[in-house]
Amino acid sequence: MNGQLCCYDCGRTYGIDDRSRCSCGEPLWIETDPSDFEWPDAEWSRGMWRYADVLPVSEPSGVPPGTTPLVRADRLDEYAGCSLSLKHEGQNPTGSFKDRGSAVGVSYAARAGYEWVGTVSHGNMALSTSAYAANAGLECAVFVPADTPAERLELIARHDPHLFRVEGDYGQLYHETLALEADVAFVNSDTPFRVAGQKTVAYEILEQCSPETPDAIALPVSSGGQASAVWKALRELNRAGLVDDVPRLYLVQAAACDPVATAYREGCASVSPVTAGDTIAVSIANSDPPSGTRALAAARDTGGAVVSVPDAEIRDAMDRLSTTVGVSVEPSSAVAIAGIRTLSQSGAIEPDDDVVAILTGSGYKERYETDVRSRTIDLDGLERELGAIVG
Amino acid sequence: MNGQLCCYDCGRTYGIDDRSRCSCGEPLWIETDPSDFEWPDAEWSRGMWRYADVLPVSEPSGVPPGTTPLVRADRLDEYAGCSLSLKHEGQNPTGSFKDRGSAVGVSYAARAGYEWVGTVSHGNMALSTSAYAANAGLECAVFVPADTPAERLELIARHDPHLFRVEGDYGQLYHETLALEADVAFVNSDTPFRVAGQKTVAYEILEQCSPETPDAIALPVSSGGQASAVWKALRELNRAGLVDDVPRLYLVQAAACDPVATAYREGCASVSPVTAGDTIAVSIANSDPPSGTRALAAARDTGGAVVSVPDAEIRDAMDRLSTTVGVSVEPSSAVAIAGIRTLSQSGAIEPDDDVVAILTGSGYKERYETDVRSRTIDLDGLERELGAIVG
């Protein structure tokens, strides 16, 4: 505790928990002694561009992503079956991990003289790429599936990209955009510049844990781009001598669309397309992941695994995050927690393992079915109503 | 530029912009040389708790707020009439500046042995307080006006507070909750612990600008709590000898509900309640601000001013932020930009002034009326459709 209550106007002072307004009627604030205060190092303000030495571009464009929190979630340890920490990527500029790759991809395109950037996405990546293109003054072509919900399109449209709603196979769309002759720099989910930016999340996690190293990192897998990026970072850090014991990578999918988990389970050397069912984890429902085989290699190489989890467990993990940690995430992020629980139950993750879950996106950008319990009261009944439950 | 493209599988390498997949069919990533890489200082990971020495509590609770970006918005300089930078508080854990105060208020309540915290809010503060209470394992009573929209209640309800929809005067509700005998620690908009946490935004801005000092800071004003907090920080930093020329504080309100601007304009010594009209800036429509007079003093003491802006200008500023800077904010944040423009037009702010606008909340948590321009195409027509506009 540092300080006492003070009135800015009359100067009266009070004990720190005495009251919130002065006897003169004006509000109080807390006086503290700043005389020994000095500026800490403000290098953090560069965000992920602190790592420019290991990035393919060094000129930032747009709001710098990164310096997202890593927090212990001890109230979820029992549920997760390990010592759980959360890397909250929903706090990036457009609310998801995608900003790291967009920042690098768009900065590169601008520097290389492109006037257009493009992406294929039905959500976070479309929003993120549009925002970074807007900042760089580049035109942006966004290709979304024709059935993308209107409320999601509204968020993307704010940044004024050229929005194409495409009828046809989404997996094929990914490949066809990259094969186009048009003078557009596509920054799709696993393209090299995106992967280069995405890798900074693992740099940050390891920096935040340093000098310790977590035993494992768990994350959702869709195209395999993000899993590739995390693996890439771990390899680099290992090579640099900064990480000796490389964390195991656990990749998690929704059971309704789990091509990488299927390949892992069946011991296949590569990932084959699956027929996708419906899932609440729409952002990661990629039935033909272009970096699926690379993601599979990442899990195997680090001694991790790939698993999938049913929607009911995803929803349960999502609710627990918001009610016990105070963090609201999209379903596609909650899969990481549900996956850790599954892996603990099977013994792959042990109770004393330090595990970091990457929460890829904020939950506040969309509405979900939530049980809204409220009571309507009259101002006159305030004390009675509150007293009845506080006791 | 640093690195070359490489296949993780077969090891083939390519020039950095050659292609995105290897001739073997697998995706590429970028090899960089990490041999000279060293960990930077990870103190930033504590967020605003880096300033614990000047806070009334030092034990963090929940996801640490702070370390939000400060970015130059040179593409808006002409519009704003100055050299404009943006402090993006929407990147806090629950998407608004309120997390700074909630973190301190809830941490204090937990440490002081309270089992309940409470707040009076119809939006950001309700969400933020609920989330921090959830993390601390405290019960939380949230009092919202009875007409709060269901979609906003859904976000708040995720963190499972006790939600009271109150019929009656909102300004009176604020005062009555603080007068309650119930054993609940209320962390309302301008209560001392909240103000103590909120002040860290100004510490960060000045840290990020150091060794320079901005000429002015502009922010929206509602209850006056945040304006008080920024003023408090500037006074402390001045006293500590870290800031000699204290920035002018410009406070901005929506024209439909502008009690503080009215008092400023009319040269009054204190702020009187007004009758509020409708505005898109709902979060700051406080017709009887409990720290209004303190906010007025902050503007006058620093040589700043208080102005108000009409909805059309707020909406215009909001659109320009999203299309030219790539930042989506709520209307209540955009008022700061509209206010700066107004102040430049009147000559109060000059073209070479360095001005920081505090963007208080993310725009992604709500839906607005946006002109969604999109075209539906068939996959077969991809090249033709894109070629037609890229040229």
Side-chain angles (χ1 to χ4, degrees), chain A residues 1-2 17 21 44-45 53 75 108 111 134-135 154 158-160 163 165 167 207-208 232 290 322 325 328 363-367 370 373 375 377 379, chain B residues 1-2 17 21 30 44-45 53 75 108 111 134-135 154 158-160 163 165 167 207-208 290 322 325 328 363-367 370 373 375 377 379:
Chain A
M1 297 283 166
N2 176 348
D17 195 24
R21 293 187 88 86
W44 63 267
S45 192
D53 285 350
R75 296 183 68 213
Y108 171 75
R111 185 188 153 93
N135 185 283
E154 191 273 315
R158 290 181 196 176
H159 301 298
D160 206 23
L163 264 174
R165 308 171 66 157
E167 308 270 11
E207 179 191 347
Q208 287 169 296
K232 184 73 175 64
S322 60
V325 192
S328 177
Y364 295 130
K365 294 192 287 185
E366 305 219 334
R367 296 295 175 277
T370 300
R373 282 166 298 174
R375 70 187 84 184
I377 65 170
L379 188 53
Chain B
M1 297 281 169
N2 176 349
D17 196 24
R21 293 187 86 88
I30 297 171
W44 62 267
S45 191
D53 285 352
R75 296 183 68 213
Y108 170 75
R111 186 188 152 94
N135 184 284
E154 191 273 317
R158 290 180 196 175
H159 301 298
D160 207 22
L163 265 173
R165 307 170 67 157
E167 308 271 13
E207 178 191 347
Q208 288 170 296
S322 60
V325 192
S328 178
Y364 295 131
K365 293 191 287 185
E366 304 220 333
R367 296 295 175 275
T370 300
R373 283 166 297 175
R375 68 188 86 186
I377 66 171
L379 188 52

Coordinates of all heavy atoms in Angstrom, one line a residue, chain A residues 1-2 17 21 44-45 53 75 108 111 134-135 154 158-160 163 165 167 207-208 232 290 322 325 328 363-367 370 373 375 377 379, chain B residues 1-2 17 21 30 44-45 53 75 108 111 134-135 154 158-160 163 165 167 207-208 290 322 325 328 363-367 370 373 375 377 379:
Chain A
M1 N 0.8 -1.2 0.0 CA 0.0 0.0 0.0 C 0.9 1.3 0.0 O 1.8 1.4 0.7 CB -0.9 0.1 1.3 CG -1.9 -1.1 1.4 SD -3.3 -0.8 0.2 CE -4.0 -2.5 0.3
N2 N 0.5 2.2 -0.8 CA 1.3 3.4 -1.0 C 0.4 4.5 -1.1 O -0.4 4.6 -2.1 CB 2.2 3.2 -2.2 CG 3.0 4.5 -2.5 OD1 2.8 5.6 -2.0 ND2 4.0 4.3 -3.4
D17 N -8.7 4.0 2.7 CA -10.0 3.4 2.5 C -11.1 4.1 3.2 O -12.2 3.6 3.4 CB -9.9 1.9 2.9 CG -11.1 1.1 2.3 OD1 -11.6 1.5 1.3 OD2 -11.4 0.1 3.0
R21 N -15.3 10.6 -1.5 CA -15.4 12.0 -1.7 C -15.0 12.8 -0.4 O -15.1 12.3 0.7 CB -16.9 12.4 -2.0 CG -17.3 11.9 -3.4 CD -18.6 12.4 -3.8 NE -18.6 13.6 -4.6 CZ -18.4 13.7 -5.9 NH1 -18.2 12.7 -6.6 NH2 -18.4 14.9 -6.5
W44 N 9.7 -1.7 -25.1 CA 8.5 -2.5 -25.3 C 7.5 -1.8 -26.3 O 6.7 -2.5 -26.9 CB 7.7 -2.7 -24.0 CG 7.3 -1.4 -23.3 CD1 8.0 -0.7 -22.4 CD2 6.1 -0.7 -23.5 NE1 7.3 0.4 -22.0 CE2 6.1 0.4 -22.7 CE3 5.0 -0.9 -24.3 CZ2 5.1 1.4 -22.7 CZ3 4.0 0.0 -24.3 CH2 4.0 1.1 -23.5
S45 N 7.6 -0.5 -26.3 CA 6.6 0.2 -27.2 C 6.8 -0.1 -28.6 O 5.9 0.2 -29.4 CB 6.8 1.7 -26.9 OG 5.7 2.5 -27.5
D53 N 15.5 -7.8 -35.8 CA 16.8 -8.5 -36.2 C 16.5 -9.8 -36.8 O 17.3 -10.4 -37.5 CB 17.8 -8.6 -35.1 CG 18.4 -7.3 -34.8 OD1 18.3 -6.3 -35.5 OD2 19.1 -7.2 -33.7
R75 N -6.3 -20.8 -11.3 CA -7.6 -21.3 -11.0 C -8.1 -22.3 -12.0 O -9.1 -22.9 -11.8 CB -8.6 -20.1 -10.9 CG -8.2 -19.2 -9.7 CD -9.2 -18.0 -9.5 NE -10.4 -18.5 -9.0 CZ -11.6 -18.0 -9.4 NH1 -11.7 -16.9 -10.2 NH2 -12.7 -18.5 -8.9
Y108 N 6.2 -5.5 -45.9 CA 7.0 -6.0 -47.0 C 6.4 -5.5 -48.3 O 7.1 -5.0 -49.2 CB 7.2 -7.5 -47.0 CG 7.9 -7.9 -48.2 CD1 9.2 -7.7 -48.4 CD2 7.1 -8.5 -49.3 CE1 9.9 -8.1 -49.6 CE2 7.7 -8.8 -50.5 CZ 9.1 -8.6 -50.6 OH 9.7 -9.0 -51.8
R111 N 7.0 -1.9 -49.0 CA 8.4 -1.6 -49.2 C 8.8 -2.1 -50.6 O 9.6 -1.5 -51.3 CB 9.3 -2.3 -48.2 CG 10.7 -2.0 -48.3 CD 11.5 -2.9 -47.3 NE 12.9 -3.1 -47.8 CZ 13.9 -2.3 -47.4 NH1 13.8 -1.4 -46.6 NH2 15.1 -2.6 -47.9
A134 N -5.0 -0.6 -44.8 CA -5.5 0.8 -44.7 C -4.4 1.7 -44.2 O -4.2 2.8 -44.7 CB -6.7 0.8 -43.7
N135 N -3.7 1.2 -43.1 CA -2.7 2.1 -42.6 C -1.5 2.4 -43.6 O -1.0 3.5 -43.6 CB -2.1 1.4 -41.3 CG -1.1 2.3 -40.6 OD1 0.0 2.4 -41.1 ND2 -1.5 3.0 -39.6
E154 N -19.3 -6.7 -41.7 CA -19.4 -5.3 -41.3 C -18.1 -4.9 -40.6 O -17.5 -3.8 -40.9 CB -20.6 -5.1 -40.3 CG -20.9 -3.7 -40.1 CD -20.1 -3.1 -38.9 OE1 -20.0 -3.7 -37.8 OE2 -19.6 -1.9 -39.1
R158 N -15.3 -2.0 -42.4 CA -14.9 -0.7 -41.8 C -13.5 -0.2 -42.4 O -13.3 1.0 -42.4 CB -14.7 -0.8 -40.3 CG -16.0 -1.0 -39.6 CD -15.8 -1.1 -38.1 NE -17.0 -1.7 -37.5 CZ -17.1 -1.9 -36.2 NH1 -16.1 -1.7 -35.4 NH2 -18.2 -2.4 -35.7
H159 N -12.6 -1.1 -42.7 CA -11.3 -0.8 -43.1 C -11.3 -0.6 -44.7 O -10.2 -0.5 -45.3 CB -10.3 -1.8 -42.6 CG -10.2 -1.8 -41.1 ND1 -9.9 -0.7 -40.3 CD2 -10.6 -2.8 -40.3 CE1 -10.0 -1.1 -39.1 NE2 -10.4 -2.3 -39.0
D160 N -12.4 -0.7 -45.3 CA -12.6 -0.4 -46.7 C -11.8 -1.2 -47.7 O -11.2 -0.7 -48.6 CB -12.3 1.1 -46.9 CG -13.1 1.6 -48.1 OD1 -14.1 1.0 -48.5 OD2 -12.7 2.6 -48.7
L163 N -14.1 -6.3 -51.1 CA -14.5 -7.6 -50.6 C -15.1 -8.5 -51.7 O -16.1 -8.1 -52.3 CB -15.6 -7.3 -49.5 CG -15.3 -7.2 -48.1 CD1 -16.5 -6.8 -47.3 CD2 -14.8 -8.6 -47.5
R165 N -17.0 -12.0 -52.3 CA -17.6 -13.2 -51.7 C -17.6 -14.3 -52.8 O -18.2 -14.2 -53.8 CB -19.0 -12.9 -51.3 CG -19.1 -11.7 -50.4 CD -20.5 -11.2 -50.1 NE -21.2 -12.2 -49.4 CZ -22.3 -11.9 -48.6 NH1 -22.8 -10.7 -48.6 NH2 -22.9 -12.9 -47.9
E167 N -18.1 -18.0 -54.4 CA -18.8 -19.3 -54.5 C -17.8 -20.3 -55.0 O -17.1 -20.1 -56.0 CB -19.9 -19.2 -55.5 CG -20.9 -18.1 -55.4 CD -22.1 -18.4 -54.5 OE1 -22.0 -19.5 -53.8 OE2 -23.0 -17.7 -54.4
E207 N 10.6 -15.3 -24.1 CA 11.2 -14.1 -23.5 C 10.5 -13.9 -22.1 O 11.1 -13.7 -21.1 CB 11.0 -12.9 -24.3 CG 11.5 -11.6 -23.7 CD 11.1 -10.3 -24.4 OE1 10.6 -10.4 -25.5 OE2 11.3 -9.2 -23.8
Q208 N 9.1 -14.0 -22.1 CA 8.4 -13.8 -20.9 C 8.7 -14.9 -19.8 O 8.6 -14.6 -18.6 CB 6.9 -13.7 -21.2 CG 6.5 -12.4 -21.9 CD 5.1 -12.4 -22.4 OE1 4.8 -13.2 -23.3 NE2 4.3 -11.5 -21.9
K232 N 9.1 -22.7 -36.0 CA 10.2 -22.0 -36.6 C 11.0 -21.2 -35.5 O 12.2 -21.2 -35.4 CB 9.7 -21.0 -37.7 CG 10.7 -20.3 -38.4 CD 11.5 -21.2 -39.4 CE 12.4 -20.4 -40.3 NZ 13.5 -19.8 -39.5
P290 N -3.1 -26.1 -45.9 CA -1.9 -26.1 -46.8 C -0.6 -26.3 -46.1 O 0.4 -26.8 -46.7 CB -1.9 -24.7 -47.4 CG -2.8 -23.9 -46.5 CD -3.8 -24.8 -45.9
S322 N -13.8 -17.4 -19.2 CA -14.4 -16.1 -18.9 C -14.9 -16.0 -17.5 O -14.8 -14.9 -16.9 CB -15.5 -15.8 -19.9 OG -16.5 -16.8 -19.8
V325 N -11.0 -16.8 -15.2 CA -9.8 -16.0 -15.5 C -10.2 -14.6 -15.9 O -9.3 -13.7 -16.0 CB -9.0 -16.7 -16.5 CG1 -7.6 -16.1 -16.6 CG2 -8.8 -18.2 -16.3
S328 N -12.3 -13.5 -22.2 CA -13.3 -13.9 -23.2 C -12.6 -14.2 -24.5 O -11.9 -13.3 -25.1 CB -14.4 -12.9 -23.4 OG -15.3 -13.3 -24.4
G363 N -12.8 -12.8 -27.7 CA -14.2 -13.3 -27.9 C -15.2 -12.2 -28.0 O -16.4 -12.4 -28.3
Y364 N -14.7 -10.9 -27.9 CA -15.7 -9.8 -27.8 C -16.1 -9.4 -29.2 O -17.0 -8.5 -29.3 CB -15.1 -8.6 -27.1 CG -14.8 -8.8 -25.6 CD1 -13.5 -8.6 -25.1 CD2 -15.8 -9.3 -24.8 CE1 -13.3 -8.8 -23.7 CE2 -15.5 -9.6 -23.4 CZ -14.3 -9.3 -22.9 OH -14.0 -9.4 -21.6
K365 N -15.5 -9.9 -30.3 CA -15.9 -9.4 -31.6 C -17.2 -10.1 -32.1 O -17.7 -9.7 -33.1 CB -14.7 -9.7 -32.6 CG -13.5 -8.8 -32.3 CD -12.5 -8.9 -33.4 CE -11.8 -10.2 -33.5 NZ -10.7 -10.2 -34.5
E366 N -17.6 -11.2 -31.5 CA -18.8 -11.8 -31.9 C -19.7 -12.1 -30.7 O -19.3 -12.1 -29.6 CB -18.5 -13.2 -32.6 CG -17.5 -12.9 -33.8 CD -17.8 -13.8 -35.0 OE1 -18.4 -14.9 -34.9 OE2 -17.5 -13.3 -36.1
R367 N -21.0 -12.4 -31.0 CA -21.9 -12.7 -29.9 C -22.1 -14.2 -29.9 O -22.1 -14.9 -30.9 CB -23.3 -12.0 -30.2 CG -23.2 -10.5 -30.2 CD -22.9 -10.0 -28.8 NE -22.7 -8.6 -28.7 CZ -21.6 -7.9 -29.0 NH1 -20.5 -8.6 -29.4 NH2 -21.5 -6.6 -28.9
T370 N -25.3 -16.9 -24.6 CA -24.9 -16.8 -23.2 C -26.2 -16.7 -22.3 O -27.1 -16.0 -22.7 CB -24.0 -15.6 -22.9 OG1 -22.8 -15.7 -23.7 CG2 -23.6 -15.5 -21.5
R373 N -28.4 -13.7 -17.0 CA -29.2 -13.6 -15.8 C -29.2 -12.2 -15.2 O -28.1 -11.8 -14.8 CB -28.8 -14.7 -14.7 CG -29.2 -16.1 -15.0 CD -28.4 -17.0 -14.2 NE -27.0 -16.9 -14.5 CZ -26.0 -17.6 -13.8 NH1 -26.4 -18.3 -12.7 NH2 -24.8 -17.4 -14.1
R375 N -31.7 -9.0 -13.0 CA -33.0 -8.7 -12.4 C -33.2 -7.2 -12.6 O -32.2 -6.4 -12.4 CB -33.1 -9.1 -11.0 CG -32.3 -8.4 -10.0 CD -32.3 -9.0 -8.6 NE -31.3 -10.1 -8.6 CZ -31.2 -10.9 -7.5 NH1 -32.0 -10.8 -6.4 NH2 -30.3 -11.9 -7.5
I377 N -34.6 -3.8 -11.2 CA -35.1 -3.3 -9.9 C -35.3 -1.8 -10.0 O -34.9 -1.2 -11.0 CB -34.0 -3.5 -8.8 CG1 -32.7 -2.7 -9.1 CG2 -33.7 -5.0 -8.6 CD1 -31.7 -2.7 -8.0
L379 N -34.7 2.0 -8.4 CA -33.6 2.7 -7.6 C -34.0 2.7 -6.1 O -33.1 2.5 -5.3 CB -33.5 4.1 -8.1 CG -32.3 5.0 -7.6 CD1 -31.0 4.2 -7.7 CD2 -32.3 6.3 -8.3
Chain B
M1 N 16.2 -6.0 -45.0 CA 15.7 -7.3 -45.3 C 16.7 -8.4 -44.7 O 17.9 -8.2 -44.8 CB 15.7 -7.5 -46.8 CG 14.7 -6.7 -47.6 SD 13.1 -7.3 -47.4 CE 12.1 -5.9 -48.0
N2 N 16.2 -9.4 -44.1 CA 17.0 -10.4 -43.5 C 16.5 -11.7 -43.8 O 15.3 -12.0 -43.4 CB 17.0 -10.1 -42.0 CG 17.8 -11.1 -41.2 OD1 18.2 -12.2 -41.6 ND2 18.0 -10.8 -39.9
D17 N 11.5 -13.3 -52.2 CA 10.2 -13.0 -52.8 C 9.9 -13.9 -54.0 O 9.1 -13.7 -54.8 CB 10.1 -11.5 -53.3 CG 8.7 -11.1 -53.5 OD1 7.8 -11.7 -52.9 OD2 8.5 -10.1 -54.3
R21 N 5.7 -21.6 -52.0 CA 5.8 -23.1 -51.8 C 7.1 -23.6 -52.5 O 7.5 -23.1 -53.6 CB 4.6 -23.8 -52.3 CG 3.3 -23.5 -51.5 CD 2.2 -24.4 -51.9 NE 2.2 -25.6 -51.1 CZ 1.6 -25.8 -49.9 NH1 1.0 -24.8 -49.3 NH2 1.6 -27.0 -49.3
I30 N 10.9 -18.4 -43.9 CA 12.1 -17.6 -44.1 C 13.2 -17.9 -43.0 O 12.9 -17.9 -41.8 CB 11.7 -16.1 -44.0 CG1 10.7 -15.8 -45.1 CG2 12.9 -15.2 -44.1 CD1 10.0 -14.4 -45.0
W44 N 8.4 -5.3 -19.5 CA 7.1 -4.9 -20.1 C 6.0 -5.9 -19.8 O 4.8 -5.5 -19.8 CB 7.3 -4.7 -21.6 CG 7.6 -6.0 -22.3 CD1 8.9 -6.5 -22.6 CD2 6.7 -7.1 -22.7 NE1 8.8 -7.7 -23.2 CE2 7.5 -8.1 -23.3 CE3 5.3 -7.2 -22.7 CZ2 7.0 -9.2 -23.8 CZ3 4.8 -8.4 -23.2 CH2 5.6 -9.4 -23.8
S45 N 6.3 -7.1 -19.6 CA 5.3 -8.2 -19.4 C 4.5 -7.9 -18.1 O 3.4 -8.5 -18.0 CB 6.0 -9.5 -19.3 OG 5.0 -10.5 -19.4
D53 N 5.2 1.2 -7.9 CA 5.8 2.1 -6.9 C 4.9 3.3 -6.7 O 5.0 4.0 -5.7 CB 7.2 2.6 -7.3 CG 8.2 1.5 -7.0 OD1 7.9 0.5 -6.4 OD2 9.4 1.7 -7.5
R75 N -1.0 10.1 -41.4 CA -2.0 10.3 -42.5 C -3.2 11.0 -42.0 O -4.1 11.4 -42.8 CB -2.4 8.9 -43.1 CG -1.1 8.2 -43.7 CD -1.5 6.9 -44.3 NE -2.4 7.1 -45.5 CZ -3.3 6.2 -45.9 NH1 -3.5 5.1 -45.2 NH2 -4.1 6.4 -46.9
Y108 N -7.3 -4.3 -4.9 CA -7.4 -3.7 -3.5 C -8.5 -4.4 -2.7 O -8.3 -4.8 -1.6 CB -7.6 -2.2 -3.6 CG -7.9 -1.7 -2.2 CD1 -6.9 -1.5 -1.2 CD2 -9.3 -1.4 -1.8 CE1 -7.2 -1.1 0.0 CE2 -9.6 -1.0 -0.5 CZ -8.5 -0.9 0.4 OH -8.9 -0.5 1.7
R111 N -7.5 -7.8 -1.6 CA -6.4 -7.7 -0.5 C -7.0 -7.2 0.8 O -6.6 -7.6 1.9 CB -5.4 -6.7 -0.9 CG -4.2 -6.7 0.0 CD -3.2 -5.5 -0.4 NE -2.5 -5.0 0.7 CZ -1.3 -5.4 1.1 NH1 -0.7 -6.3 0.4 NH2 -0.7 -4.9 2.1
A134 N -14.0 -11.8 -11.7 CA -14.0 -13.2 -12.0 C -12.6 -13.8 -11.8 O -12.5 -14.8 -11.1 CB -14.4 -13.5 -13.5
N135 N -11.6 -13.1 -12.2 CA -10.2 -13.6 -12.0 C -9.9 -13.6 -10.5 O -9.2 -14.6 -10.1 CB -9.3 -12.7 -12.8 CG -7.8 -13.2 -12.7 OD1 -7.2 -13.1 -11.7 ND2 -7.4 -13.9 -13.7
E154 N -24.9 -9.3 -23.0 CA -24.4 -10.6 -23.3 C -22.9 -10.7 -23.0 O -22.4 -11.6 -22.4 CB -24.8 -11.0 -24.7 CG -24.5 -12.5 -25.0 CD -23.0 -12.8 -25.5 OE1 -22.5 -12.0 -26.3 OE2 -22.5 -13.8 -25.0
R158 N -21.0 -12.9 -19.7 CA -20.0 -14.0 -19.8 C -19.2 -14.2 -18.6 O -18.7 -15.3 -18.3 CB -19.1 -13.7 -21.0 CG -19.8 -13.8 -22.4 CD -18.8 -13.5 -23.5 NE -19.5 -13.3 -24.7 CZ -18.9 -12.9 -25.8 NH1 -17.6 -12.7 -25.8 NH2 -19.6 -12.6 -26.9
H159 N -18.9 -13.0 -17.9 CA -18.0 -13.1 -16.7 C -18.9 -13.3 -15.5 O -18.3 -13.2 -14.4 CB -17.2 -11.8 -16.7 CG -16.3 -11.6 -17.9 ND1 -15.3 -12.5 -18.2 CD2 -16.3 -10.7 -18.8 CE1 -14.8 -12.1 -19.3 NE2 -15.3 -11.0 -19.7
D160 N -20.1 -13.6 -15.6 CA -21.0 -14.1 -14.6 C -21.2 -13.1 -13.3 O -21.1 -13.6 -12.2 CB -20.6 -15.5 -14.1 CG -21.7 -16.3 -13.5 OD1 -22.9 -16.0 -13.9 OD2 -21.4 -17.2 -12.8
L163 N -26.2 -9.1 -12.3 CA -26.6 -8.0 -13.1 C -27.9 -7.4 -12.6 O -28.9 -8.1 -12.6 CB -26.8 -8.4 -14.6 CG -25.6 -8.3 -15.6 CD1 -26.0 -9.0 -16.9 CD2 -25.3 -6.8 -15.8
R165 N -30.6 -4.4 -13.5 CA -31.1 -3.4 -14.4 C -31.9 -2.4 -13.6 O -33.0 -2.8 -13.1 CB -31.9 -4.0 -15.6 CG -31.1 -5.2 -16.2 CD -31.9 -6.0 -17.2 NE -32.3 -5.2 -18.3 CZ -32.6 -5.6 -19.5 NH1 -32.7 -7.0 -19.7 NH2 -33.0 -4.9 -20.5
E167 N -34.2 0.8 -12.9 CA -35.2 1.9 -13.3 C -34.9 3.1 -12.4 O -35.0 3.0 -11.2 CB -36.6 1.5 -13.1 CG -37.0 0.1 -13.7 CD -37.5 0.2 -15.2 OE1 -37.3 1.3 -15.8 OE2 -38.0 -0.8 -15.7
E207 N 6.1 8.1 -20.9 CA 7.3 7.2 -21.0 C 7.6 6.9 -22.5 O 8.7 6.9 -22.9 CB 7.0 5.9 -20.3 CG 8.1 4.8 -20.4 CD 7.7 3.4 -19.9 OE1 6.6 3.3 -19.3 OE2 8.4 2.5 -20.2
Q208 N 6.5 6.7 -23.3 CA 6.7 6.4 -24.7 C 7.2 7.6 -25.5 O 7.9 7.4 -26.5 CB 5.4 5.9 -25.3 CG 5.0 4.4 -24.8 CD 3.6 4.0 -25.2 OE1 2.6 4.6 -24.7 NE2 3.5 3.0 -26.0
P290 N -19.8 13.2 -11.8 CA -19.4 13.4 -10.4 C -18.0 14.0 -10.3 O -17.7 14.6 -9.3 CB -19.4 11.9 -9.9 CG -19.3 11.0 -11.1 CD -20.0 11.8 -12.2
S322 N -10.5 4.3 -39.1 CA -10.5 2.9 -39.5 C -10.0 2.7 -41.0 O -9.4 1.8 -41.3 CB -11.9 2.2 -39.4 OG -12.9 2.9 -40.1
V325 N -5.9 4.7 -40.7 CA -4.9 4.3 -39.7 C -5.1 2.8 -39.4 O -4.2 2.1 -38.8 CB -5.0 5.1 -38.4 CG1 -3.8 4.8 -37.5 CG2 -5.1 6.6 -38.7
S328 N -10.1 0.6 -35.4 CA -11.5 0.7 -35.2 C -11.8 1.0 -33.8 O -11.4 0.3 -32.9 CB -12.2 -0.6 -35.6 OG -13.6 -0.5 -35.4
G363 N -13.5 -0.6 -31.2 CA -14.8 -0.5 -31.9 C -15.3 -1.9 -32.2 O -16.5 -2.0 -32.7
Y364 N -14.6 -2.9 -32.0 CA -15.0 -4.3 -32.5 C -16.0 -4.9 -31.6 O -16.6 -6.0 -31.9 CB -13.8 -5.2 -32.6 CG -12.8 -4.8 -33.7 CD1 -11.4 -4.7 -33.4 CD2 -13.2 -4.5 -35.0 CE1 -10.5 -4.3 -34.4 CE2 -12.3 -4.1 -36.0 CZ -10.9 -4.0 -35.6 OH -10.0 -3.7 -36.6
K365 N -16.3 -4.3 -30.4 CA -17.2 -5.0 -29.5 C -18.7 -4.7 -29.9 O -19.6 -5.4 -29.3 CB -17.0 -4.5 -28.0 CG -15.6 -5.0 -27.5 CD -15.5 -4.8 -26.0 CE -15.3 -3.4 -25.6 NZ -15.0 -3.2 -24.2
E366 N -18.9 -3.7 -30.7 CA -20.3 -3.5 -31.1 C -20.4 -3.3 -32.6 O -19.4 -3.2 -33.3 CB -20.8 -2.2 -30.5 CG -20.7 -2.2 -28.9 CD -21.8 -1.6 -28.2 OE1 -22.5 -0.7 -28.7 OE2 -22.0 -2.0 -27.0
R367 N -21.6 -3.4 -33.2 CA -21.8 -3.3 -34.6 C -22.3 -1.9 -34.9 O -23.1 -1.3 -34.1 CB -22.8 -4.3 -35.1 CG -22.4 -5.7 -34.9 CD -21.2 -6.0 -35.8 NE -20.7 -7.4 -35.6 CZ -19.8 -7.7 -34.7 NH1 -19.3 -6.8 -33.8 NH2 -19.3 -8.9 -34.6
T370 N -22.4 0.3 -41.2 CA -21.3 0.5 -42.2 C -21.7 0.1 -43.6 O -22.5 -0.8 -43.7 CB -20.1 -0.4 -41.7 OG1 -19.7 0.0 -40.4 CG2 -18.9 -0.3 -42.7
R373 N -19.6 -2.8 -48.9 CA -19.6 -3.0 -50.4 C -18.8 -4.3 -50.7 O -17.7 -4.5 -50.4 CB -18.9 -1.8 -51.1 CG -19.7 -0.6 -51.2 CD -18.9 0.6 -51.5 NE -17.9 0.8 -50.4 CZ -17.0 1.8 -50.5 NH1 -16.8 2.5 -51.6 NH2 -16.1 1.9 -49.5
R375 N -18.7 -7.8 -53.7 CA -19.3 -8.5 -54.9 C -19.2 -10.0 -54.8 O -18.2 -10.5 -54.2 CB -18.7 -7.9 -56.2 CG -17.3 -8.4 -56.4 CD -16.7 -7.6 -57.6 NE -16.1 -6.4 -57.2 CZ -15.7 -5.4 -58.1 NH1 -15.7 -5.7 -59.3 NH2 -15.2 -4.3 -57.6
I377 N -18.6 -13.5 -56.5 CA -18.1 -14.0 -57.7 C -18.0 -15.5 -57.6 O -18.0 -16.1 -56.5 CB -16.7 -13.4 -58.0 CG1 -15.7 -13.9 -56.9 CG2 -16.7 -11.9 -58.1 CD1 -14.2 -13.5 -57.3
L379 N -15.6 -18.9 -58.2 CA -14.1 -19.2 -58.2 C -13.5 -19.2 -59.6 O -12.4 -18.7 -59.8 CB -13.9 -20.6 -57.6 CG -12.5 -21.1 -57.3 CD1 -11.7 -20.0 -56.5 CD2 -12.5 -22.4 -56.6

